[in-house]
Structure formats: C-alpha cells, structure tokens
Amino acid sequence: HRYASTSIELDLGSNMFETHLIDAPSATVTTTKEELLEYLDKMYTMRRMEISCDTEYKARNIRGFCHLYDGQEAVACGMNAAMTLDDSWITSYRCHCVAYLRGKSVEEVIGELFGFSLGATKGKGGSMHFYNKEQNFYGGQGIVGAQVPVGAGLAFANKYKTPVGEKMPIAVAGFGDGAANQGQIWESANMAKLWDLPLVLFCENNHYGMGTATKRHSCNEKYFTMGGRTIPGIRCNGMNVLAVKKCMEFVKDYCASGNGPMFVEFDTYRYHGHSMSDPGTTYRTREEVGGVRQ
C-alpha cells in the first residue's frame, strides 16, 4: 500500500475511441494502483456473483428469466466510476451488476433472485426488476427498449430541477444492440435534442441480439452514429474499464453542460448466452467465445 496513491499515466492507444460529429477525448488517462485495485475488486465480485447465479439457476434454486452480465463488467464499472449518485441510471433487464454498483449488496442481489424478502426489491421483482431510488437507479426493464423513454423523462426531471446556468445531473439510458433500431429510442432521442436534455443513450453492443448477429439484424452497425446529422456520438472499447471511465467523463461533461443528448456505443461481449435458457453455442462457436476471453 506504500505506492497506492502514486499516480500512473497511461496511453490507451489510438483505437479506444471513434466519434461522430464531435472530437474524440484524449487517450491519456491518469490513475493509481489504489483505483485499479478497486476496479478489480468490483469487477471480480460482479463476475463471481453472476457465475454463482448460473450455478444456482442450474440447480433450480433460481427460476424464471435470468440474464447474466459476465463479460460486460468493465462497461458498468467504468461508467459508475465517472458518474455520481446524483446522476440517474436506467438500463435493460441485464441489471444485476448495475444494482450492485448502485448500492445493493451481493446478498440483496442473490436474495432477490431467490425470491427472499431480504432481496433488493423484497423478492417481488426478480432478475429483471432491480430498483434503488435512493441512489438514483431506476432499474432494469423487462420490456425490450422500454427503459429509454423513461430515461428521457429522468433527464427532463434533472434539467427541470437544476437552476439555469448550472451543470445538470445526467441520465443514462442503456439498451442492447438488439433494441437499437426501435422507434421509441429515436423518439426519445428526438425529444432530448429538441429540449437539450442531459440524456446519454448508451448501447452495450455485445454483437448479438439474442442469437442474431448484428450484421444480420441491423443495416447500420455503428450505433454511435444513430443521431444522424444532429446528435453526436462516440464508440468506446467496452472491455477496457479505464477507457469506459474516460469516455463517460467526456460524455457527462458534454451533456451536463446543456449541449443536449449523445449516443454512446460500448463495444463489448457477453460470455453467457442471451439468457439462462440460451446455451449461447448454436449461433457462435466456442472458439469465438474463447478468443474474446483471451
């Protein structure tokens, strides 16, 4: 611990960011050993928690829908590091790890999946409906894409409650590549741009909408360009926690300053199938998954 507070400057490389209608942030980051160990601890906990959910689901102790997040931990961890609890967060049904980062204990997460009263929402929500208003986490959503209009409402509330001229808390609304072409996402983005709402529309692109590869279900695989000629965007390497943090600091500053919304695409990968009912091997090879792991 003697060197824990010593600053380390790192160059993330030229392939971490790609932008649309806006200049890219610097690829140089400053961190500390202490900070890196904190991220390792959080992401390792998230990974072990999700693997435990897999084991308990197969033992039939967890029932119903269950969508695991292993492989994508750097996205949520890096985003959380760049945000404060004043910022609002809503995401899809793949939400166990975000609930953990937003204040729920591992015991509360697992308890919720078991249907116990000590669970995050008293055992009444289950895998897809975690919630923690005290820390501005507005949950997972069971309906594909439905969280994005709610995220626009959260952004509207944040702007409404902030005195004119001051920086606003942002609202982040997450969705997967499978939901990216839904009309409600563009309708939300359109309103956010009209009213200059501090909304971050972030796509966790894990390359498969359920079992369908992005090249088969989307004519535009560059989701960060979805804003067309009016809303800027950025793509980030979602497997690098420091890159995600740097990206979100950049995006937060833009949106909180009254410039309106931004599309963000995190290039990531899930190691499990879409849900526990999907083995994840019928539409991709074990070699592909193993290659990403390496």
Side-chain angles (χ1 to χ4, degrees), residues 47-119:
R47 176 67 58 86
R48 296 312 308 164
M49 182 176 74
E50 294 295 71
I51 297 303
S52 296
C53 291
D54 170 86
T55 302
E56 294 300 331
Y57 195 96
K58 290 173 179 174
R60 301 178 68 84
N61 292 320
I62 296 173
R63 305 294 183 96
F65 295 105
C66 187
H67 304 80
L68 301 182
Y69 199 68
D70 52 313
Q72 300 181 207
E73 295 92 345
V75 175
C77 187
M79 289 181 64
N80 189 65
M83 297 162 61
T84 71
L85 294 180
D86 291 328
D87 299 317
S88 306
W89 195 334
I90 191 167
T91 189
S92 70
Y93 38 74
R94 202 178 302 277
C95 61
H96 307 162
C97 291
V98 181
Y100 164 71
L101 290 171
R102 277 284 163 135
K104 294 300 179 183
S105 67
V106 173
E107 182 182 35
E108 288 175 303
V109 172
I110 300 293
E112 185 62 34
L113 296 176
F114 274 63
F116 292 167
S117 60
L118 59 76

Side-chain angles (χ1 to χ4, degrees), residues 47-251:
R47 176 67 58 86
R48 296 312 308 164
M49 182 176 74
E50 294 295 71
I51 297 303
S52 296
C53 291
D54 170 86
T55 302
E56 294 300 331
Y57 195 96
K58 290 173 179 174
R60 301 178 68 84
N61 292 320
I62 296 173
R63 305 294 183 96
F65 295 105
C66 187
H67 304 80
L68 301 182
Y69 199 68
D70 52 313
Q72 300 181 207
E73 295 92 345
V75 175
C77 187
M79 289 181 64
N80 189 65
M83 297 162 61
T84 71
L85 294 180
D86 291 328
D87 299 317
S88 306
W89 195 334
I90 191 167
T91 189
S92 70
Y93 38 74
R94 202 178 302 277
C95 61
H96 307 162
C97 291
V98 181
Y100 164 71
L101 290 171
R102 277 284 163 135
K104 294 300 179 183
S105 67
V106 173
E107 182 182 35
E108 288 175 303
V109 172
I110 300 293
E112 185 62 34
L113 296 176
F114 274 63
F116 292 167
S117 60
L118 59 76
T121 53
K122 310 299 183 185
K124 298 178 180 179
S127 174
M128 299 191 290
H129 299 289
F130 284 83
Y131 185 80
N132 188 0
K133 187 177 184 298
E134 290 74 20
Q135 298 201 16
N136 280 318
F137 174 54
Y138 295 90
Q141 276 274 354
I143 305 301
V144 176
Q147 65 275 9
V148 179
V150 181
L154 293 170
F156 183 91
N158 288 349
K159 180 173 182 177
Y160 188 82
K161 292 185 289 187
T162 302
V164 176
E166 293 186 12
K167 281 199 169 184
M168 299 171 277
I170 61 171
V172 299
F175 55 95
D177 52 274
N181 290 303
Q182 287 193 355
Q184 60 184 331
I185 292 177
W186 172 248
E187 290 176 31
S188 303
N190 182 55
M191 287 189 288
K193 182 60 181 175
L194 284 171
W195 299 333
D196 285 334
L197 303 183
L199 177 63
V200 179
L201 303 110
F202 75 95
C203 174
E204 292 186 80
N205 180 7
N206 59 32
H207 299 277
Y208 292 95
M210 296 186 74
T212 306
T214 53
K215 64 183 179 182
R216 296 182 58 220
H217 73 68
S218 184
C219 65
N220 176 15
E221 295 181 66
K222 293 188 174 184
Y223 299 109
F224 68 104
T225 68
M226 287 173 59
R229 294 178 294 175
T230 55
I231 301 176
I234 182 170
R235 174 190 274 168
C236 171
N237 182 342
M239 306 300 274
N240 185 315
V241 66
L242 293 178
V244 173
K245 181 190 177 189
K246 182 78 172 186
C247 175
M248 274 307 299
E249 289 174 339
F250 170 76
V251 173

Side-chain angles (χ1 to χ4, degrees), residues 3-8 30-38:
Y3 302 103
S5 60
T6 302
S7 294
I8 309 165
T30 301
T31 186
T32 64
K33 179 181 177 182
E34 184 178 46
E35 181 184 28
L36 294 175
L37 288 173
E38 178 187 351

